């Protein structure tokens, strides 16, 4: 897992999704060429032409509309949306059909700016493009193409499953995907059994003929349309499973599916519903203006910003900071940061600047007072329990979420174990808190050592933060020794 974390941590979520989807495109084209996919339905020339039309339209429309309204278009996001749409519609070489598919791709990109609030889209763009195109066809009676979700095929299933698991693991949303899949699979199998299928046949149909895995791995997991807390995400995942299978569920319960023209399925509508629910649960974006940089020793730099409106979060949560810059590398223009400061207008973030740095880190380091940035999301459940003693374990820059927590929870029974590789950048702040601070060489921080130094370990909720390998190793040693365990992996550390 540590090796996998390090490899996947080299890519942003968008870059990983792009690469995985492109790999699936290659698999589909090769299967078509070899006859594994029916070459009469999926000819190679139709697959490639449809792909080219949808990608080109998405990129151009996203750029033109974004520039027209003064926004900064996100190129990779438009490519991801086009690739997802490609797997939903039957490939074609027919000019009129290609024109309609180009319209779907264009509507998907326009929706990011039209169905948005304070610079953040409310629903999954691919789903929005499908729904808007269906509504246009319904109102005008034009022959708009319907989705086929051909990605749900037996020959592609295992490739899609591996890709979805990689994406969900990288984003720490395996539980989200699991809850959605369990609900959707359970309802679909139940419906199959109700129409006379055997259990094996029902399972086979559910896995190979419905897009549950693709939907959960590549669409429901879209970060900008999810709520901030884990319990909220799991609730949204369950809601998505119900909405996804709504015609089957109502058909089994009442004899007739509760569907209304013009929609023949509720797959896309499920994402519209969950996106709106998630929007109601999260705060909008914030614009940050850099006030100053503070070098804290070695390669650690602290950034102090002023927000246009108070940033509200639960101490321990992280923010996603968008740093626009030219020549963006594989790490992208967004990165997650734990917040050092307390909720309010002053926002303090800290990060390491190792050499050679990513394009993101170089752009952040080159920023000057007065430069503008944007917080695009607040997420996370690395928060304290309402009551009871707490144990905090971190190493190096991994202690950053502890600072806002200690400031917000004065008077609690807290022990902080700090693993030090070099000079601890926040040693003074930690010592100034009313917590008991234990500073150890990082290689000595393990379950046995902590158990010896903290006798009442079984009464405490432990929060472990830092590099994935450090967090995983310490967590293994604490798992059966503490009352509750929460982890914060600094991906891409």
């Amino acid at each position: 897992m540590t090796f996998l974390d390090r490899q996947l941590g080299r890519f942003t979520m968008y870059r990983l999704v792009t690469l995985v989807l492109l790999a699936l495109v290659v698999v589909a084209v090769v299967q078509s060429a070899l006859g594994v996919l029916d070459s009469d339905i999926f000819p190679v020339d139709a697959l490639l032409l449809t792909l080219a039309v949808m990608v080109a339209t998405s990129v151009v429309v996203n750029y033109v509309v974004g520039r027209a309204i003064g926004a900064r278009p996100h190129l990779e996001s438009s490519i991801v949306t086009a690739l997802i749409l490609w797997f939903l519609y039957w490939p074609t070489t027919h000019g009129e059909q290609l024109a309609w598919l180009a319209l779907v791709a264009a509507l998907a990109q326009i929706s990011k700016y039209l169905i948005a609030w304070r610079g953040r889209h409310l629903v999954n763009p691919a789903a929005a493009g499908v729904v808007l195109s269906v509504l246009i066809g319904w109102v005008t009676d034009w022959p708009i193409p319907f989705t086929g979700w051909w990605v749900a095929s037996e020959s592609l299933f295992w490739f899609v499953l591996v890709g979805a698991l990689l994406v969900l693991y990288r984003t720490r949303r395996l539980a989200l995907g699991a809850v959605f899949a369990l609900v959707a699979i359970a309802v679909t199998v139940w419906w199959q059994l109700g129409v006379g299928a055997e259990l094996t046949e029902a399972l086979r149909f559910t896995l190979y003929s419905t897009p549950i895995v693709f939907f959960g791995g590549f669409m429901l997991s879209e970060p900008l349309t999810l709520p901030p807390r884990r319990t909220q995400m799991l609730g949204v995942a369950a809601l998505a499973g119900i909405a996804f299978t709504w015609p089957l569920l109502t058909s089994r319960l009442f004899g007739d599916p509760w569907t209304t023209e013009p929609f023949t399925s509720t797959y896309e509508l499920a994402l519209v519903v969950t996106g709106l629910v998630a929007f109601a649960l999260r705060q909008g974006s914030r614009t940050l203006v850099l006030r100053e940089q503070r070098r804290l020793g070695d390669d650690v730099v602290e950034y102090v910003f002023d927000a246009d409106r108070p940033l509200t979060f639960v101490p321990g949560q992280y923010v996603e900071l968008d740093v626009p810059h030219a020549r963006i590398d594989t790490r992208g223009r967004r990165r997650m940061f734990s917040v050092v400061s307390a909720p309010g207008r002053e926002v303090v973030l800290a990060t390491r600047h190792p050499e050679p740095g990513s394009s993101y880190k170089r752009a952040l380091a080159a920023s000057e007072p007065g430069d503008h940035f944007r917080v695009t999301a607040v997420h996370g459940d690395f928060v304290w329990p309402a009551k009871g003693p707490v144990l905090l374990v971190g190493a190096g820059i991994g202690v950053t979420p502890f600072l806002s927590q200690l400031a917000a929870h004065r008077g609690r029974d807290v022990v902080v174990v700090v693993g030090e590789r070099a000079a601890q950048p926040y040693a003074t702040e930690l010592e100034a808190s009313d917590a008991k601070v234990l500073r150890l060489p990082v290689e000595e921080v393990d379950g046995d050592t902590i158990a010896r130094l903290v006798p009442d370990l079984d009464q405490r909720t432990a929060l472990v933060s830092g590099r994935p390998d450090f967090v995983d190793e310490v967590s293994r040693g604490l798992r059966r020794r503490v009352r509750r365990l929460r982890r914060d992996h600094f991906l891409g550390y």
Side-chain angles (χ1 to χ4, degrees), residues 293-336:
Q293 294 186 23
R294 301 169 182 164
R295 183 163 292 278
L296 303 182
D298 293 333
D299 58 358
V300 178
V301 178
E302 184 179 77
Y303 295 87
V304 183
F305 302 91
D306 294 310
D308 59 339
R309 291 172 292 123
L311 180 68
T312 57
F313 63 96
V314 181
Q317 288 188 300
Y318 60 84
V319 299
E320 181 184 67
L321 184 67
D322 184 357
V323 177
H325 57 283
R327 297 183 180 179
I328 301 172
D329 64 15
T330 59
R331 300 299 305 279
R333 55 181 278 176
R334 293 176 178 145
R335 196 74 57 85
M336 307 298 185

Side-chain angles (χ1 to χ4, degrees), residues 20-340:
V20 171
L21 288 174
L22 285 173
L24 293 177
V25 168
V26 172
V27 170
V29 171
V30 170
Q31 287 189 353
S32 172
L34 296 177
V36 178
L37 283 175
D38 189 337
S39 57
D40 291 332
I41 302 175
F42 303 100
V44 172
D45 59 341
L47 287 171
L48 295 178
L49 182 59
T50 303
L51 177 66
V53 168
M54 300 193 89
V55 171
T57 303
S58 291
V59 171
V60 171
V61 172
N62 184 48
Y63 181 83
V64 171
V65 175
R67 288 296 186 183
I69 67 173
R72 296 185 177 91
H74 188 197
L75 172 65
E76 202 151 21
S77 173
S78 63
I79 294 175
V80 167
T81 300
L83 293 174
I84 289 174
L85 288 171
W86 184 71
F87 283 106
L88 308 190
Y89 286 94
W90 301 109
T92 182
T93 57
H94 191 277
E96 184 178 350
Q97 291 294 304
L98 288 172
W100 280 117
L101 295 182
L103 174 64
V104 174
L107 291 171
Q109 298 308 316
I110 294 171
S111 75
K112 294 194 299 185
Y113 305 99
L114 180 65
I115 310 174
W117 179 255
R118 291 177 176 171
R120 183 169 180 153
H121 57 264
L122 307 187
V123 298
N124 182 284
V130 173
V131 170
L132 290 173
S133 66
V134 170
L135 292 176
I136 289 174
W138 183 49
V139 171
T140 62
D141 203 28
W142 292 337
I144 194 79
F146 288 97
T147 54
W149 290 81
W150 61 270
V151 69
S153 64
E154 185 172 353
S155 65
L156 291 175
F157 174 79
W158 295 106
F159 297 99
V160 173
L161 178 62
V162 171
L165 289 175
L166 285 175
V167 171
L168 292 172
Y169 178 80
R170 167 64 177 84
T171 56
R172 293 300 190 266
R173 294 195 176 102
L174 284 170
L176 173 88
V179 169
F180 165 74
L182 286 174
V183 173
I185 289 172
V187 173
T188 306
V189 170
W190 182 52
W191 176 77
Q192 279 280 302
L193 296 176
V195 297
E198 297 292 332
L199 179 59
T200 302
E201 181 185 354
L203 286 170
R204 188 178 183 86
F205 171 84
T206 301
L207 295 179
Y208 295 154
S209 300
T210 64
I212 291 173
V213 174
F214 186 83
F215 184 98
F218 298 98
M219 301 183 75
L220 183 61
S221 61
E222 207 269 337
L224 295 183
T225 56
L226 287 175
R229 302 297 298 272
R230 177 184 173 85
T231 53
Q232 295 169 344
M233 287 187 189
L234 298 184
V236 162
L239 174 63
I242 296 296
F244 183 90
T245 57
W246 185 250
L248 305 183
L249 182 64
T250 55
S251 174
R252 188 76 161 86
L253 290 174
F254 307 108
D256 289 306
W258 286 9
T259 55
T260 304
E261 291 294 339
F263 296 98
T264 57
S265 76
T266 55
Y267 299 159
E268 302 85 10
L269 292 177
L271 285 175
V272 173
V273 171
T274 56
L276 295 176
V277 170
F279 170 73
L281 294 172
R282 65 178 183 258
Q283 66 168 300
S285 64
R286 299 289 188 270
T287 298
L288 304 184
V289 179
L290 182 65
R291 187 196 306 167
E292 63 175 316
Q293 294 186 23
R294 301 169 182 164
R295 183 163 292 278
L296 303 182
D298 293 333
D299 58 358
V300 178
V301 178
E302 184 179 77
Y303 295 87
V304 183
F305 302 91
D306 294 310
D308 59 339
R309 291 172 292 123
L311 180 68
T312 57
F313 63 96
V314 181
Q317 288 188 300
Y318 60 84
V319 299
E320 181 184 67
L321 184 67
D322 184 357
V323 177
H325 57 283
R327 297 183 180 179
I328 301 172
D329 64 15
T330 59
R331 300 299 305 279
R333 55 181 278 176
R334 293 176 178 145
R335 196 74 57 85
M336 307 298 185
F337 294 93
S338 296
V339 186
V340 178

Side-chain angles (χ1 to χ4, degrees), residues 436-493:
K436 179 181 179 181
V437 180
L438 305 174
R439 298 167 64 180
L440 305 170
V442 68
E443 60 272 10
E444 295 181 16
V445 179
D446 55 35
D448 292 336
T449 302
I450 295 173
R452 187 178 73 255
L453 296 174
V454 187
D456 61 345
L457 196 56
D458 61 338
Q459 302 298 313
R460 296 180 179 272
T461 295
L463 289 85
V464 186
S465 175
R467 281 172 40 162
D469 54 350
F470 172 84
V471 171
D472 290 340
E473 183 177 351
V474 172
S475 297
R476 282 193 294 270
L478 292 177
R479 185 164 287 115
R480 292 184 176 86
R481 289 170 161 158
V482 295
R483 184 176 181 181
R484 189 180 297 112
L485 179 66
R486 294 176 181 172
R487 300 176 297 173
D488 188 14
H489 294 85
F490 280 30
L491 299 175
Y493 190 89

